[in-house]
Structure formats: structure tokens, C-alpha cells
Amino acid sequence: FLFDSPALQKSIWKFWYNFAARLDAKAGDLRFMNFGYVPDHGRMSILDLEPADEKHRSCIQMYYHTIGEQELAGQDVLEVGCGRGGGAASLMKYARPRSLRAMDLSPQAVRLNREAFNIPALTFHQGDAERIPFSDSTFDAVINVESSHCYPRLQRFFSEVARVLKPGGKLSVWVYELPPRGYLLSDYLRLFTTRLPYPVLFVLGSLLTLCYAPLLWVPRGRPRIQAWLYAFRLPWHVGWNWRRHS
């Protein structure tokens, strides 16, 4: 039951993402950590991007899929769990908020972002999602993309969001569809998969699906033999879907 301690869990996540940030600093232009979004209806794009941003299309689209039709222009926005900062930078370019404050638990990630981005009205801050370091009623919108799995006391995060939002403000959040044991392994694998060509990802993803399935935390009442079928339902495990890591 030691790992049920929220303080220990948070310390582990902080250590892990500091370590990942140090590795990513050596990788060059690695500005996104989300899995990306590609529409199901056959179109690859949901917004127009500048040519230089096309290589990050699926990751940028994840942000716009998350916020939906919410208008951010002229608003004060907070991103909780900003990772490598690419999402915040793309929102400044295409959504044009009045200001955007991006925070992350990892001080190493925040340092990298401050060095990488020099965009007016975009600032990076180190902070805890369960103790957001901003005053009450500060923001028109809060965005949280693939980060809430790191919060051991999720209700505190939602309470903090409600506190810092202005009346009528909105939270846009996107979460993993993974069982608890999958999070750490997923983030560990991403350190390597972001550097692999797609054909290698396809084979590796398919093989790991079969090998990893028996270790999954299968929902209560589901026979263990169905673990393989359950694994194939998870979006990042399927071989053809691993292109989102690249």
C-alpha cells in the first residue's frame, strides 16, 4: 500500500518527467508529448497549419479536438500539464488568446520551454495541478491534455480549476484510455518510439500488444483470457495506431 500515498506518487511522476525532459533536451525539436488526433471520417486535417507545423499536425489537432468549438481569441487561458510546450505555442499562433500561462510539475520541462519559446503573452510556470499557483477567478479557460493520469487526488485538481476559472469559464480536458498499470510503461516507451520509423513502430506495437496484454489491469469481472482483446481496444497499443508516437 506504499504506492497508494499521493505524495509518493507525485514524487515519482516528478522524477520521471524531469528525467524524460533531460533525455528530450538531447533529442532536438521534440515539442509534443500527446498521442495526437486524426479524425475518423477520413480527413487528415481539422484546421489549416503553416507548412513548418505540418510535421506536428496530429499533436496540434489533439488540442483543437479537445477544446472543440470553444473560442479562445482574446481570452486568458491556463494550460495545466504543458509538457514540452508545443501545444501552448500552437494555441498562441492559431487560437490567439490574450494570454496563456502554461504550467507543469517538472521544473526541468519548464526550463526547457522557457529556453525554446519566446512568444509574447506566453509564459511557463512550475506548479502542482492540485495546488494551482494562481489567484481566484483568473482565467476564461483551462486546458488539460493527457496529463490528469498523474494526479493522485483528481478531485483536488477539479476543485482548483473551479477556483481559478472566472464565472462562466470552461475546462477542456482529454484523458488517456488506459488502465492504471499502463501509464508508466506508455510514457517509458514513448522515449524511444518518438525516434523510430513507422514500419518499426508497426511491428513493435503489434508484438508488444500480445506480450503486454496479460499484464494489464483487466476490469473486474472480465476473464483474464479476454485481456488480449481488451488490449487491442486501447488506442496506443494497436500497431497501425502507433504512428501517433512519431
Side-chain angles (χ1 to χ4, degrees), residues 8 24-25 46 48 50 64 77 79 82 89 94 100 115 129 135 144 179 185 189 214 243 245:
L8 178 59
D24 290 344
I46 61 174
D48 296 325
E50 295 179 2
Y64 290 85
V77 179
E79 181 184 7
C82 63
Y94 297 108
L100 199 161
E115 294 174 355
S135 303
N144 183 256
L185 179 59
L189 287 172
R243 65 180 182 274
H245 278 271

Side-chain angles (χ1 to χ4, degrees), residues 214-232:
L215 305 178
L216 288 173
W217 188 300
V218 180
R220 181 176 299 179
R222 189 185 299 262
R224 177 66 67 173
I225 193 63
Q226 294 183 13
W228 281 276
L229 297 178
Y230 183 70
F232 274 101

Side-chain angles (χ1 to χ4, degrees), residues 28-39:
D29 187 25
L30 186 60
R31 300 303 178 206
F32 292 87
M33 298 184 72
N34 71 64
F35 289 116
Y37 171 75
V38 177

